Amino acid sequence: AINGNGDYGVNINASKNVAVTENTTISANKNCGIRIAGSEEVSVKNAVISKNAKSGIAVTSSKKITISDATVNNNGTDSRDYGINLNGVDTATVTNVTASSNSSHGLLITTSKGINVSGSTFNTSAGGYGIYCNDKTEAVFNNVICQQNYWSGMSMSDIGTKVTVTGGEYSKNGTRPDVKEDDDTTCAGIGAYNGATLTATNVVCKNNHGCGIALTGTKDKVVTSYLYGVTLNDNGDHGLGCRPYANITISKSSSGTKNKLNNNKNHGILLNDHCTIVSMDNVTCAKNKKAGISVAVKSTVKSMSSCNFYENKEDGIHLSDSAAASIKKTKVYSNGGAGIGVYSKSTLTLVAEAATVKSVKSNSFKENKKAGIAVRSGAKINSIKNTTSSGNGTYGVYVAKKSSAVLTGCTVESNKQDGIRATDSKTNITVKNCKVNKNKQNGVIVTSKAKLKELSRTTINKNKKHGLVIQNKATTGTVKKNKISGNSKYQIYVNRASTSVKKKK
């Protein structure tokens, strides 16, 4: 045992081939438990390092360090003391280490490369992160656990910092008092900030005070993240929170694991303030307390495919404040708001086949209680192709307040109000090769100075009120080659408007 010294427990300085071997106890020293400086090929194995006045293990300007099968607990008395501190280290392996209840971070890595950490646990940091990587650090983590730390489980910062995380769990972090909501971005399972790059595969981040994963950059320091098969569930903020300036790619992992972002207190995914999802596929956002995904303030989803958004309390997919998205082969159903809501000068493109916006059952508690697709406040949907919007609580498609939408080859049926409704001045809608059937009120209605730019080769059948309604100074462009029949009242109803309709016989 090496206990109670007035300075370091062990001081290794400018040395090579040194081993701190089996079953060594190093505790209650007035400085660090072990100091390694300017040294090479140093190993620490099976040591118990605890209750030292400063860091448990401090390594600076050294190479080829191995720390294995060690316990590093209850070290440090202020915020500059850590369980393990690697500073300016070239190549280190940390294996099967437990670091808990240290004064600040469990593991701090600064300006280091070739760092490999596996099978280790970093818990209950009293005033910091479980793991913090910064200042151009390059590190790889495999099957690491970070739980119940004061701030995030793992955090990384700065341009040139590149962290790869595979497996492991980052849960119940952010134990500090809830002083203000903005602090939640630093109370994540994993957080990447100010230009750092994160690659996470088959990682679980759940029950954190803030986000499962938080990405926060600046205009000059954009955060980059690649997420493969992650599980971000039951967090106190968003599953994935991106704001501002982050670029993200999300896909299933090479082993086929899909992404799950469910039951979070706010959105499944928040993409806000100049953030970009380059591509996302095989993502499920379900049962979140707000939207499945919210895209806002000049943020963009360049490509979304093969995703599922269901039983969220608000919109399944929500775009606002000049946001944009392109979506295909995606299912959006049983949400509390709109299936897809597009607002405030935003743009949405639904492309290719099999995009669906529907409810499971008419009596489902968590169906899309409003419109299947809602487009408002200067928003735009450039293309809705081969899409189904059915069984929704109000409209299949609702376009209003200077907005526009183009529907091609869509099915809009069995909605509780109109199938398609366009309203307000400078609003326009185009409907081609669609089926608008069995809605509880009108099939297609254009009203209050809105414009039906084109209605062609469309079947409007068996709606409970009128088939096609043009009213209240609405205008029309091309209306031809449609089949409008079997509606309960008028097939075509024009009131306080004028139009030229060529009906297909």
Side-chain angles (χ1 to χ4, degrees):
I2 303 172
N3 302 333
N5 292 287
D7 203 347
Y8 304 108
V10 176
N11 185 9
I12 302 170
N13 186 47
S15 300
K16 189 173 181 178
N17 294 323
V18 179
V20 180
T21 57
E22 308 288 330
N23 301 316
T24 301
T25 299
I26 303 170
S27 66
N29 299 287
K30 298 298 183 183
N31 206 308
C32 299
I34 300 175
R35 175 182 181 261
I36 304 170
S39 297
E40 186 174 349
E41 295 185 9
V42 178
S43 66
V44 178
K45 186 175 182 180
N46 275 336
V48 176
I49 304 161
S50 65
K51 299 181 180 178
N52 296 284
K54 294 190 177 179
S55 298
I57 302 174
V59 186
T60 58
S61 304
S62 296
K63 299 179 180 180
K64 299 179 181 178
I65 305 300
T66 300
I67 304 170
S68 63
D69 304 297
T71 301
V72 187
N73 295 340
N74 298 300
N75 295 283
T77 57
D78 67 32
S79 61
R80 295 168 293 178
D81 301 325
Y82 314 100
I84 301 173
N85 183 359
L86 305 179
N87 188 346
V89 174
D90 182 354
T91 310
T93 301
V94 179
T95 307
N96 195 27
V97 167
T98 299
S100 64
S101 301
N102 297 287
S103 181
S104 188
H105 315 317
L107 171 60
L108 172 64
I109 310 175
T110 304
T111 322
S112 297
K113 63 181 180 179
I115 309 301
N116 195 308
V117 182
S118 63
S120 296
T121 300
F122 301 91
N123 288 351
T124 59
S125 294
Y129 304 105
I131 300 168
Y132 183 41
C133 304
N134 70 337
D135 199 7
K136 299 182 180 180
T137 283
E138 297 182 10
V140 175
F141 298 87
N142 290 283
N143 297 317
V144 167
I145 295 173
C146 291
Q147 294 179 330
Q148 296 181 315
N149 295 286
Y150 190 84
W151 294 111
S152 298
M154 175 186 286
S155 180
M156 62 207 68
S157 185
D158 305 323
I159 293 174
T161 294
K162 298 179 181 179
V163 175
T164 299
V165 185
T166 302
E169 182 175 320
Y170 300 79
S171 63
K172 300 180 181 178
N173 297 289
T175 60
R176 93 289 182 274
D178 196 358
V179 178
K180 57 182 180 179
E181 187 174 351
D182 289 347
D183 288 346
D184 290 352
T185 58
T186 53
C187 287
I190 299 175
Y193 310 98
N194 297 327
T197 299
L198 165 67
T199 301
T201 304
N202 295 339
V203 169
V204 175
C205 299
K206 64 181 183 179
N207 292 307
N208 296 287
H209 178 84
C211 301
I213 293 178
L215 308 175
T216 300
T218 67
K219 186 175 182 179
D220 298 324
K221 297 179 179 180
V222 177
V223 169
T224 302
S225 185
Y226 304 92
L227 306 178
Y228 305 110
V230 298
T231 298
L232 312 179
N233 294 345
D234 303 296
N235 296 288
D237 199 353
H238 315 291
L240 172 62
C242 311
R243 58 184 178 205
Y245 293 102
N247 279 9
I248 308 100
T249 298
I250 315 175
S251 184
K252 63 182 178 181
S253 68
S254 59
S255 63
T257 303
K258 298 180 180 181
N259 302 276
K260 299 176 182 178
L261 298 94
N262 303 331
N263 200 38
N264 296 286
K265 185 177 179 180
N266 288 316
H267 307 297
I269 299 174
L270 173 69
L271 198 72
N272 195 16
D273 195 357
H274 297 85
C275 289
T276 300
I277 291 180
V278 178
S279 65
M280 64 180 286
D281 64 74
N282 291 283
V283 176
T284 294
C285 294
K287 301 182 181 180
N288 296 288
K289 301 304 184 290
K290 291 190 176 179
I293 181 171
S294 175
V295 186
V297 190
K298 298 183 179 179
S299 293
T300 301
V301 179
K302 289 187 175 181
S303 174
M304 178 194 298
S305 64
S306 302
C307 295
N308 294 278
F309 298 88
Y310 63 89
E311 295 182 18
N312 299 288
K313 290 288 187 181
E314 296 182 357
D315 295 347
I317 299 173
H318 180 98
L319 279 72
S320 65
D321 302 302
S322 301
S326 180
I327 301 172
K328 65 180 181 180
K329 297 183 180 178
T330 288
K331 295 181 180 180
V332 186
Y333 60 93
S334 297
N335 297 286
I340 301 176
V342 189
Y343 317 101
S344 305
K345 299 182 179 179
S346 297
T347 302
L348 176 69
T349 302
L350 276 75
V351 297
E353 71 279 3
T356 63
V357 183
K358 62 180 183 180
S359 62
V360 178
K361 297 179 180 178
S362 60
N363 61 354
S364 172
F365 180 71
K366 294 182 179 179
E367 67 185 338
N368 294 314
K369 293 184 179 179
K370 297 184 180 178
I373 302 171
V375 195
R376 298 201 305 258
S377 304
K380 182 184 295 184
I381 300 185
N382 287 330
S383 176
I384 309 175
K385 290 185 178 180
N386 304 319
T387 291
T388 297
S389 183
S390 66
N392 298 289
T394 57
Y395 313 107
V397 179
Y398 177 70
V399 188
K401 296 181 179 178
K402 302 180 181 180
S403 297
S404 64
V406 178
L407 285 75
T408 306
C410 296
T411 298
V412 184
E413 64 183 12
S414 301
N415 297 286
K416 291 184 179 179
Q417 294 186 30
D418 304 314
I420 300 172
R421 185 179 183 91
T423 183
D424 304 323
S425 177
K426 298 184 179 179
T427 292
N428 67 79
I429 191 164
T430 297
V431 183
K432 298 183 290 185
N433 297 295
C434 292
K435 296 178 181 178
V436 188
N437 302 327
K438 300 179 182 178
N439 297 285
K440 301 301 182 184
Q441 293 189 20
N442 304 292
V444 177
I445 178 169
V446 186
T447 185
S448 302
K449 299 183 179 180
K451 183 173 183 178
L452 179 62
K453 291 184 71 174
E454 181 177 345
L455 177 69
S456 61
R457 302 182 185 274
T458 290
T459 298
I460 305 174
N461 186 36
K462 295 184 180 179
N463 297 285
K464 293 295 184 182
K465 200 172 180 182
H466 309 305
L468 170 64
V469 178
I470 310 295
Q471 68 178 20
N472 297 335
K473 299 183 179 179
T475 59
T476 62
T478 301
V479 182
K480 65 179 183 180
K481 296 184 179 180
N482 301 291
K483 184 177 181 181
I484 306 174
S485 63
N487 300 287
S488 295
K489 293 190 176 180
Y490 298 114
Q491 307 310 311
I492 300 173
Y493 178 69
V494 181
N495 181 30
R496 298 179 61 204
S498 61
T499 183
S500 176
V501 177
K502 295 180 180 180
K503 185 178 175 182
K504 184 177 180 180
K505 297 181 179 180

